[in-house]
Amino acid sequence: MQQQNDTTRQLQVPFSMPEGTVTDEFAMASLSAAKQQLRTAMKHKLQALSPESVLSQSSTVFNKLKTFRPFVNAKRVSVFLSMPGGEIQTDAIVRHALVSGKEVFVPYLHKNPTTSPALPVRVMDMVRLRDLADYESLMPDRWGIPSINPVTVHERQRIFSGPDAQHSQSTLLDLILMPGVAFDIDPDSGAIRRLGHGKGFYDYFLSRHSSKSAELGQQESSVLLYGLALSEQFLSPSEGAVPVGPFDQPLDGLILGNGEIKSPPAAK
């Protein structure tokens, strides 16, 4: 019981944007500090989870997802490839999506071809897996995450590229299954908030995906954003709140390891 109380205290991350005459720079520094504090607390919390619990919760999420209408209806799905522990394992999801005939895209990190002090040095694209054998051939990176061989990227359909045989210039995603460190629900708006790992890869990708949607004639991006999370990654009000800034996009939903599906009020 004492250990649980200590964990709860660790997760309590009070955060409010500075008021009055403080500068935006100070506000963003405070936001960054609050996010990092929560990441540290969550790291300790998730390290205490047994592999059996992670696998059990991952199986629950997979079984829920198989009949979940947004997933069933999606033609082009982006799925994150999991670290060995501390988050929902997506291997079964990727295999099922491929066997079901979906176009499955997975993250690929690379150097930003556009150099500017205002832009990130490394960015994320989503590239398509050819088939199950292709997925099984991926080699783990230094974090144990299956990764696309850079040599093969130019042969693959992807979201951001020039004209190619795979028609990448007109490709948009229907559904993105996203990882995260922590999630919660805004008590005022009901928005589902996500804390990422701090690199901004998804934020920048989603901004570019929205711009591409507009360029292709869509008034707004129709891609659905759903988080997949272990139950321990969802914060109760007593554990504090997920701090968010102007570039943090709320989710369309969240599927938890206990089988719960969280949706904002407008989606219910």
Side-chain angles (χ1 to χ4, degrees), residues 178 191-194 202-203 206-207 210 221 223 225 244-252:
M178 301 173 65
I192 298 175
R193 303 181 292 202
R194 167 185 173 269
Y202 274 94
D203 296 330
L206 292 174
S207 175
S210 179
S221 177
V223 64
L225 310 178
V244 294
F247 302 111
D248 295 309
Q249 190 163 332
L251 303 182
D252 294 292

Side-chain angles (χ1 to χ4, degrees), residues 78-79 81 94 104-108 125-129 138 148:
S78 163
V79 188
L81 301 182
V94 173
V104 180
F105 291 74
V106 298
Y108 172 71
D125 199 353
M126 297 291 178
V127 300
R128 185 180 173 186
L129 296 173
L138 301 184
I148 297 290

Side-chain angles (χ1 to χ4, degrees), residues 5 18 30 39 93 109 132 163 174 183-184 206 222 252:
N5 290 338
S30 298
R39 289 189 188 101
I93 297 171
L109 304 179
L132 190 57
D174 301 320
F183 303 83
D184 77 347
L206 292 174
S222 60
D252 294 292

Side-chain angles (χ1 to χ4, degrees), residues 155-169:
E155 305 167 355
R156 297 177 181 272
Q157 187 177 11
R158 51 206 189 273
I159 301 303
F160 302 119
S161 77
D164 57 30
Q166 288 77 30
H167 306 291
S168 296
Q169 72 273 17

Side-chain angles (χ1 to χ4, degrees), residues 15 27-37 39:
F15 177 79
M28 294 307 294
S30 298
L31 174 66
S32 178
K35 286 184 174 184
Q36 191 54 48
Q37 184 181 351
R39 289 189 188 101

Side-chain angles (χ1 to χ4, degrees), residues 8-45:
T8 299
R9 282 196 295 271
Q10 281 185 313
L11 290 174
Q12 289 177 333
V13 183
F15 177 79
S16 60
M17 295 295 283
E19 299 177 354
T21 58
V22 296
T23 65
D24 287 345
E25 183 178 348
F26 180 77
M28 294 307 294
S30 298
L31 174 66
S32 178
K35 286 184 174 184
Q36 191 54 48
Q37 184 181 351
L38 180 53
R39 289 189 188 101
T40 300
M42 289 301 302
K43 179 180 179 180
H44 294 306
K45 184 179 184 182

